[in-house]
Amino acid sequence: MLLAVDAGGTSTRAVALDTAGAASGYGRGSGGNPTSAGVERAVSAIGGAISAALGSATAGSADPPGHVALIAMAGVRSAEFRELLTSTLAGLGVQRVVLSSDLLGIFGSGTYRPDGYVLVAGTGSIAARIAGDRVERIVGGNGWLLGDDGSGFWVGQRVARAVVAALDDAGPVTALTELVLAAVGLPLTPGSAGGRARALSGLVARLYAQRPVQLAELAPLAFAVPDDPVARDILEQAADALAALLAAARVPEVGGPVVAGGSVLVHGLLAGPVEVRERLGLPAGTEVVPVADGVVGAAVLALREAGVTVGAELFERVQQEVARVRLSR
Amino acid sequence: MLLAVDAGGTSTRAVALDTAGAASGYGRGSGGNPTSAGVERAVSAIGGAISAALGSATAGSADPPGHVALIAMAGVRSAEFRELLTSTLAGLGVQRVVLSSDLLGIFGSGTYRPDGYVLVAGTGSIAARIAGDRVERIVGGNGWLLGDDGSGFWVGQRVARAVVAALDDAGPVTALTELVLAAVGLPLTPGSAGGRARALSGLVARLYAQRPVQLAELAPLAFAVPDDPVARDILEQAADALAALLAAARVPEVGGPVVAGGSVLVHGLLAGPVEVRERLGLPAGTEVVPVADGVVGAAVLALREAGVTVGAELFERVQQEVARVRLSR
């Protein structure tokens, strides 16, 4: 049995499948990244997701367990993490643990081909060039303070700054004001100058009281009022910033599709009114493939790890199988 | 005896003067703002500066002390701060403590006239309209995360982001790279791709290890290479951001000079190659008066508090007297 895991910062997804690509179980857990969740909680989340995925799969099986787990994840993996992970998963019948890149997981969720690009905009943003099934170059991913152009934080901070400026009469009036004040639980009718000043100081106090990166939570508000000139300007700038990130990863020798991940890009920009595909400035005919997460890609990587060649037909089967077990759970 | 105090975030300045504007002593202390330094340390800094200013002044005097202290400062003043301040200064012979605005202190350092504008860009940025010796409107000052356009943080963050992008091959090459790496103590010769990658990860690690607002310390580097296109672009954008801040404070009915404060504006932008005065878009003939701090203005406010009218002649005397005691100390 193969176990394919997409261990993200906020949630972890696991699927159990055989070497023919038939999936038998699906499980979810909390954030499985040791950098953000801590080693013990990350291992526990991964173990929980695998256990849930195996739940139905092992019920009818009499074979001795000897599973291989492939885990797609970002960031640094300490020896401590690897050891705790290996021993914890051994208790679930996992004989071998293979760690891979979250970027390969996302890429493999969109295509079985060996070359192409990844562009992700969630809370942060990052682009990568994939060549011969390997990550050849990474651009961005430098965090909210120093990078992450076009990301959820980047959009959310611009939304917050635009509303602060508007309440301060130092920027244009925007429909975002009402949405942001509602989002932080402040009164919605700052009619008088005094009311506006109170709303401003209340908003500033609340936003500084939280972690800076939480400004990313305001990003969806920009997509809620795409006809607002201030919101639209922010979204166009975000699209251009992501285009620049992708352009920095591109080389003429490497073609292939652009696999798009992250909620800001997939559910926001690509689904919204801003012409993101045009702004990305891609060569004619380049496919842009939005994906929800990296779990299909983790399954593809697990199959390859087991020596299985994944072509168009098997890739399509894996996609359908993952969708099926995800829904039936 | 009047005691005029400019209590800032990083340092506090005090001058002792009589009602004719003759200064007799000058003192300095650490940060005197209770919001940033804490109540006890702020009061101690203000007391220390006053004590130093009184040092020479009281030595030959036989009169019983009955000084008035006027303290120009930003931010919220709690009852706790006022009480500790009053009791501490009473021990130095201060009979009455008057708290005033740091913006009026800066404005009064540049002009004795009742109307005009203040524009400050230090670590943060703020603009104000002064009418009839009172602060009529404040724009900006919303901190590094939500405002402070054109400030030291704003410039410093753009410098850091430009260098991160350059090292990531995702932005133009810039002379800032060498300066920033030297400033954080990293090797200066990232010749190879591997060396650049190490410099990038080292820089990112060091900048995230400090408080975000410390990025303001990188702002002076932009002024060090004004011919660098990346640096120049940042400085021009900063000038435009400050112009927008000032424009939001302006009304046609209120004329008068623009008093400029804060090291980024006074020692950086106004002294540099960017044509800031032109970019501010001021009415023809508007005077822009750079000032070092708010201590002259605090002296002007103290004189007014004592019932003295400050006109051109007395204002000039106060300026000269403060400069004299500052130098002779």
Side-chain angles (χ1 to χ4, degrees), chain A residues 55-75:
Chain A
S56 47
T58 50
S61 166
D63 295 338
H67 313 309
V68 172
L70 186 133
I71 300 162
M73 56 180 294

Side-chain angles (χ1 to χ4, degrees), chain B residues 87-114:
Chain B
S87 63
T88 302
L89 299 194
L92 297 169
V94 173
Q95 203 169 38
R96 196 155 74 88
V97 177
V98 181
L99 298 183
S100 185
S101 145
D102 62 326
L103 294 168
L104 288 178
I106 289 170
F107 186 69
S109 286
T111 181
Y112 61 91
R113 279 171 282 180

Side-chain angles (χ1 to χ4, degrees), chain A residues 137 140 142-143 145 147 161 168 208, chain B residues 137 140 142-143 147 161 168 208:
Chain A
R137 165 127 163 79
N142 292 310
L145 189 62
R161 290 181 77 106
D168 209 4
Y208 277 105
Chain B
R137 166 128 162 77
N142 292 311
R161 291 181 77 105
D168 210 4
Y208 277 105

Side-chain angles (χ1 to χ4, degrees), chain A residues 1-6 15-21 67-72 96-101 104-105 108 294-310 314 318:
Chain A
M1 182 79 68
L2 302 173
L3 293 156
V5 182
D6 176 30
V15 64
L17 70 162
D18 66 20
T19 51
H67 313 309
V68 172
L70 186 133
I71 300 162
R96 197 155 74 90
V97 176
V98 181
L99 298 184
S100 185
S101 145
L104 287 177
V295 72
V296 168
V300 169
L301 293 169
L303 286 165
R304 289 204 187 115
E305 190 64 34
V308 178
T309 302
V310 181
L314 180 52
V318 172

Side-chain angles (χ1 to χ4, degrees), chain A:
Chain A
M1 182 79 68
L2 302 173
L3 293 156
V5 182
D6 176 30
T10 51
S11 71
T12 297
R13 292 152 290 269
V15 64
L17 70 162
D18 66 20
T19 51
S24 51
Y26 182 83
R28 282 182 66 95
S30 55
N33 186 298
T35 307
S36 52
V39 166
E40 288 191 20
R41 285 173 57 190
V43 169
S44 162
I46 294 168
I50 285 181
S51 182
L54 282 171
S56 47
T58 50
S61 166
D63 295 338
H67 313 309
V68 172
L70 186 133
I71 300 162
M73 56 180 294
V76 181
R77 305 83 182 261
S78 64
E80 183 198 358
F81 170 73
R82 286 170 183 271
E83 281 162 24
L84 186 62
L85 184 66
T86 304
S87 63
T88 301
L89 298 194
L92 297 170
V94 174
Q95 203 169 38
R96 197 155 74 90
V97 176
V98 181
L99 298 184
S100 185
S101 145
D102 62 326
L103 293 168
L104 287 177
I106 289 171
F107 185 70
S109 286
T111 181
Y112 62 92
R113 279 171 283 179
D115 298 345
Y117 297 87
V118 176
L119 180 63
V120 180
T123 300
S125 66
I126 199 164
R129 180 170 72 240
I130 313 294
D133 294 326
R134 295 186 51 214
V135 178
E136 196 174 73
R137 165 127 163 79
I138 294 176
V139 186
N142 292 310
W144 61 273
L145 189 62
L146 301 174
D148 283 355
D149 302 43
S151 68
F153 173 81
W154 195 94
V155 170
Q157 186 185 30
R158 273 159 180 74
V159 165
R161 290 181 77 106
V163 170
V164 164
L167 287 171
D168 209 4
D169 281 334
V173 170
T174 165
L176 291 166
T177 301
E178 196 176 331
L179 299 181
V180 167
L181 290 177
V184 302
L186 282 169
L188 290 181
T189 48
S192 67
R196 292 165 63 80
R198 274 192 301 280
L200 174 59
S201 65
L203 177 63
V204 168
R206 288 189 195 201
L207 295 181
Y208 277 105
Q210 62 182 24
R211 288 179 303 125
V213 79
Q214 287 183 264
L215 288 181
E217 294 162 13
L218 300 177
L221 303 182
F223 299 109
V225 286
D227 294 333
D228 179 78
V230 172
R232 193 179 174 90
D233 190 46
I234 292 171
L235 296 181
E236 288 180 351
Q237 285 182 44
D240 290 345
L242 293 174
L245 208 59
L246 182 59
R250 282 193 80 88
V251 287
E253 310 87 84
V254 177
V258 174
V259 179
S263 62
V264 168
L265 183 54
V266 173
H267 300 124
L269 288 170
L270 284 173
V274 175
E275 291 303 329
V276 176
R277 283 164 209 262
E278 281 71 6
R279 285 178 181 260
L280 290 180
L282 300 170
T286 304
E287 213 185 337
V288 176
V289 188
V291 300
D293 54 45
V295 72
V296 168
V300 169
L301 293 169
L303 286 165
R304 289 204 187 115
E305 190 64 34
V308 178
T309 302
V310 181
E313 203 175 325
L314 180 52
F315 179 69
E316 202 176 313
R317 181 171 191 205
V318 172
Q319 282 187 308
Q320 290 167 353
E321 284 287 291
V322 170
R324 183 180 59 76
V325 290
R326 209 197 280 257
L327 281 171
S328 68
R329 189 178 156 270

